[in-house]
Structure formats: structure tokens, C-alpha cells
Amino acid sequence: SQTIHQWPATLVQPVGSPLSLECTVEGTSNPNLYWYRQAAGRGLQLLFYSVGIGQISSEVPQNLSASRPQDRQFILSSKKLLLSDSGFYLCAWNPGGLETQYFGPGTRLLVL
Amino acid sequence: KNEVEQSPQNLTAQEGEFITINCSYSVGISALHWLQQHPGGGIVSLFMLSSGKKKHGRLIATINIQEKHSSLHITASHPRDSAVYICAVRSNQFYFGTGTSLTVIP
């Protein structure tokens, strides 16, 4: 069966510090991968998605970036965090663009 | 204006009640998803719909493409159904509603 992992579960970082969140999927190959952010009191926002290694599409301009160095690994990064980057970050995968997405447990990020 | 609107925003029900959560959208879509977010933050995908109706246990989801409207029904609600329910649509990108917070009281 397929599983999706995210780490860390919780992260507190100072403003201006770098960020690296990791997401890995097991039990499938060539998944579509997604990064979402849920800010406090707001809905989910799609940040990035990837249909293959090295292929990243950005949905919104921001100081975050994503990379997919391996088929089942998706990384969300920032060189300098902003206060507004605080939120709940979710990674998801699906076998194809229109199919049900499966979400990871999420990373709660607090930027102080 | 949000592309996806949900109602109600908050809902409190007694155990056993029949619950309906509504979702309206303003964009052309290829699919609509209903998601459940538990208090700890984890999200579970409940349904993906492109037409008609789907049923899974006590949960029923319907969609009317012409009216751009979907409903999520919970029959015989239980306290463990307490969660935030999120409607999401796939157009040229994903759009998400802000969620409906459901509390089921024993």
C-alpha cells in the first residue's frame, strides 16, 4: 500500500532563517506531487505541483521554492523565511492529475 | 470573491442528526473533491466527483454540474464526525473552500 511521509511535524524558525520541508511517498512510482499551505483561518492554497523528477510548476509567486530530486521525494524550501510563511504545510500525491489526492500528516511551521 | 464558497461556515449538531454541507463554485471544473480535516491537522480525501452521486458508509456526496453545486451529507452523525470539511474543485488549478467546521455533540 502507498504511504506518504512528511517531516518535521512541527517547526519553529526565526524570521530570515532557511527552510527545508521534506515529503516522501512509498509504494508507488511516478506520482504527481503537491505542496499546499493552510494559513490560520484560511483555506488550502496550492503552492507547487510536480508531474516528474525536476518538473516543478508554481501556482503562486512567493519566497518559497520546491524541488523534486527523486521520483518520490518532494522538498519545499526557502532561503529566508517571512512571518507570513507561518502555516500548516501539506504534501499530497496522486497517480494522475484528475484523481483523488492523498495527503500527508502535515508540518506546522511557526515563524517568529 | 472566492471561486469556491461553502456553507455553513460552522455547524453544531446533536448525535444522530442528518447533516448537509453545501459547496458552490464559479469556475468550470473537471472534478470536485470533498476533504475532511481532523483537529490535529491531518487531511483525508473523502470523495472525488465529476457527476452524479457517491456513497461511502454514512457519507453521501452529490454534484450538479449545471448548477455548479455539490452537497456532502452525513447520516446518523456521530461525535467522531467532528472535523472541518473542505470542498475543492479542479479547474485550470485547484481552488479550495475555507471549510465547514462541524461539531457533533453526544
Side-chain angles (χ1 to χ4, degrees):
Chain A
S1 63
Q2 301 87 3
T3 54
I4 178 168
H5 304 278
Q6 283 186 247
W7 63 89
T10 305
L11 189 60
V12 181
Q13 291 285 90
V15 169
S17 65
L19 173 74
S20 181
L21 302 181
E22 189 164 343
C23 170
T24 58
V25 181
E26 295 177 357
T28 187
S29 58
N30 197 32
N32 285 5
L33 294 169
Y34 306 82
W35 275 114
Y36 294 90
R37 175 172 60 202
Q38 187 177 38
R42 301 181 66 180
L44 284 171
Q45 180 184 39
L46 179 63
L47 302 176
F48 301 96
Y49 69 93
S50 171
V51 298
I53 295 174
Q55 300 177 61
I56 309 294
S57 296
S58 175
E59 292 291 308
V60 291
Q62 60 213 319
N63 70 319
L64 299 171
S65 62
S67 62
R68 184 168 177 175
Q70 300 181 45
D71 181 45
R72 290 169 288 178
Q73 184 185 34
F74 205 22
I75 297 173
L76 184 69
S77 304
S78 174
K79 292 182 179 178
K80 285 187 176 182
L81 283 169
L82 307 173
L83 289 174
S84 57
D85 291 325
S86 293
F88 189 60
Y89 288 82
L90 285 154
C91 180
W93 77 274
N94 69 357
L98 297 182
E99 298 191 39
T100 297
Q101 292 189 16
Y102 301 91
F103 287 83
T107 295
R108 199 165 297 279
L109 172 67
L110 180 61
V111 182
L112 300 175
Chain B
K1 181 185 181 300
N2 293 331
E3 289 81 1
V4 180
E5 298 280 356
Q6 285 184 238
S7 63
Q9 286 189 316
N10 297 285
L11 182 57
T12 301
Q14 291 289 332
E15 184 174 358
E17 283 186 13
F18 180 84
I19 289 164
T20 296
I21 299 171
N22 295 299
C23 174
S24 296
Y25 53 91
S26 58
V27 294
I29 70 167
S30 52
L32 180 143
H33 299 254
W34 280 104
L35 311 171
Q36 180 191 54
Q37 185 171 29
H38 294 286
I43 288 184
V44 173
S45 180
L46 299 175
F47 294 103
M48 186 189 72
L49 296 163
S50 54
S51 64
K53 174 181 172 179
K54 285 189 177 180
K55 185 176 187 292
H56 181 71
R58 294 180 294 106
L59 302 177
I60 302 167
T62 64
I63 187 169
N64 185 318
I65 297 294
Q66 287 73 29
E67 295 184 3
K68 294 189 174 180
H69 180 268
S70 176
S71 293
L72 176 68
H73 306 285
I74 304 175
T75 61
S77 59
H78 190 276
R80 64 174 174 266
D81 297 326
S82 298
V84 175
Y85 292 83
I86 301 168
C87 174
V89 300
R90 174 70 187 230
S91 181
N92 57 327
Q93 64 178 75
F94 274 102
Y95 297 98
F96 293 84
T98 53
T100 294
S101 180
L102 171 65
T103 302
V104 181
I105 300 170

